[in-house]
Amino acid sequence: MGKIIINKERCKGCMLCITFCPKGFISADKKLNKKGVKPVKFEENPECLGCSMCAIVCPDCCIEVYK
Amino acid sequence: MKKIFSHPKSLRNISTHYCSGCGHGIAHRLIAEVVDELGIRERVIGICPVGCAVVAYDYWDFDCSEAAHGRGLAVATAIKRVRPENIVFTYQGDGDLAAIGTNETIHAANRGENLTVIFINNAVYGMTGGQMAPTTLLGQKTATTPEGRTSLMQGWPLKISEMLAMLPGVKYVERASLDSPGGIIKSKKAIKQAFENQINKVGFSLVELLSACPTYWNMPANQSLEWIKNSMIKEFPLGKIK
């Protein structure tokens, strides 16, 4: 079981983490952040593998992974 | 639960000025992770380029110096010769290393300076507004090639890594790609090898990273990674060149 924490204020909304999450647990948030972009959000799920794919592709180092 | 992935210590915990989906952020993080893993944070000196990464010294939490456009390897040579105990690397884009700085690059490589070069190839000039770079692909539309680059007018994409690999002073050249998690892991391995080479006094090492520029490729971030995979890698094959 894994979990990620997203720094939503730093997120620039490139959505690469959504593309590479093998489980599809990351999606775009409806609420804008201070930058004026839609950040991503994570839905906690015991099936999250903690594989770190999202964190590896994140260009802004917004994601912390726990396992 | 244990934290298994977070911000490397050598990267400041701040937001960068890079566009959404830009490959520079990934490259900065990989270098910071390698510096942390090798335990050389107190010894390393980075030379920042002119280009989008011009303020990279604001993002890395270790010593950095700025060089005039293209002159990164000349500055790095001076620092390394005066302070041979330091680990000196340059971080340069295609316009910096392969256009205005070709002279400095080729001669530093030919002298076999014990330096590490991280070469970011995104096939376009980012900072100045998306003009054609030496590495722009044939047919690629940029601000200065609105109909697409043609070999008749602008010549062919410059393969500077292959050119440098021919020189006897160059000991290690590898091309990797920041287009997928697998590619990013391989890129990190190559960066680590290039730094280890300098620590072990092997000689001139260069890592070319194919990196996305969604803004000036006029596509969303995920499509720009596809474009690296489908177009760029065909022109710039990955792997160890030397």
Side-chain angles (χ1 to χ4, degrees):
Chain A
M1 187 186 158
K3 186 180 93 167
I4 62 168
I5 294 177
I6 298 164
N7 184 339
K8 288 194 182 184
E9 286 309 318
R10 202 192 294 163
C11 176
K12 293 173 185 162
C14 69
M15 315 274 170
L16 289 179
C17 48
I18 298 179
T19 310
F20 287 101
C21 177
K23 294 282 187 181
F25 293 152
I26 309 175
S27 57
D29 205 342
K30 283 184 185 140
K31 206 178 144 201
L32 302 180
N33 66 9
K34 277 184 195 155
K35 283 193 172 85
V37 299
K38 281 183 184 165
V40 292
K41 66 170 195 274
F42 171 67
E43 287 139 44
E44 268 197 49
N45 192 313
E47 281 180 45
C48 172
L49 302 166
C51 65
S52 307
M53 293 287 175
C54 50
I56 289 170
V57 294
C58 178
D60 296 289
C61 222
C62 304
I63 301 177
E64 278 183 349
V65 186
Y66 295 82
K67 200 174 179 179
Chain B
M1 274 187 171
K2 225 175 91 188
K3 197 190 272 187
I4 57 165
F5 191 105
S6 75
H7 218 265
K9 281 200 180 80
S10 296
L11 195 67
R12 289 201 176 103
N13 205 355
I14 52 171
S15 185
T16 64
H17 74 287
Y18 299 120
C19 305
S20 170
C22 175
H24 274 303
I26 303 175
H28 283 16
R29 192 191 75 226
L30 296 182
I31 291 170
E33 283 176 358
V34 166
V35 166
D36 283 352
E37 282 169 23
L38 294 174
I40 53 172
R41 193 170 162 204
E42 296 302 319
R43 282 209 287 158
V44 78
I45 300 176
I47 313 294
C48 303
V50 171
C52 285
V54 66
V55 292
Y57 46 73
D58 280 345
Y59 306 141
W60 283 318
D61 203 357
F62 47 71
D63 289 336
C64 286
S65 174
E66 181 62 54
H69 200 359
R71 275 63 185 166
L73 277 162
V75 173
T77 300
I79 294 177
K80 186 72 184 175
R81 288 191 177 191
V82 175
R83 303 178 65 96
E85 70 282 5
N86 283 92
I87 305 299
V88 185
F89 78 94
T90 69
Y91 182 96
Q92 299 178 271
D94 40 42
D96 192 75
L97 182 134
I100 194 165
T102 326
N103 181 357
E104 281 75 8
T105 305
I106 290 178
H107 288 290
N110 196 38
R111 290 192 304 268
E113 301 289 346
N114 187 23
L115 296 169
T116 302
V117 183
I118 311 298
F119 168 36
I120 306 294
N121 179 359
N122 58 10
V124 81
Y125 273 79
M127 186 181 76
T128 50
Q131 292 86 354
M132 191 198 87
T135 50
T136 296
L137 304 189
L138 290 178
Q140 186 184 336
K141 288 182 181 169
T142 67
T144 44
T145 57
E147 302 292 323
R149 182 179 188 168
T150 62
S151 56
L152 194 67
M153 286 294 286
Q154 291 97 10
W156 285 266
L158 188 66
K159 293 180 181 171
I160 192 95
S161 295
E162 277 87 347
M163 284 166 62
L164 293 177
M166 286 164 49
L167 302 171
V170 177
K171 300 301 178 196
Y172 174 74
V173 182
E174 179 152 355
R175 186 183 285 123
S177 161
L178 302 175
D179 67 336
S180 61
I184 292 168
I185 291 166
K186 279 185 195 155
S187 302
K188 185 177 167 186
K189 231 179 233 175
I191 293 171
K192 198 167 190 178
Q193 181 67 51
F195 275 94
E196 279 171 349
N197 284 352
Q198 189 176 158
I199 294 168
N200 299 329
K201 300 187 170 62
V202 173
F204 193 91
S205 307
L206 180 141
V207 179
E208 174 175 345
L209 301 173
L210 305 184
S211 166
C213 180
T215 302
Y216 289 115
W217 295 354
N218 301 312
M219 49 181 92
N222 54 354
Q223 268 181 41
S224 66
L225 298 193
E226 288 295 314
W227 194 77
I228 295 181
K229 209 173 282 171
N230 300 330
S231 307
M232 257 186 115
I233 291 178
K234 279 185 192 140
E235 189 63 42
F236 299 105
L238 303 182
K240 196 171 169 186
I241 300 166
K242 189 173 184 180

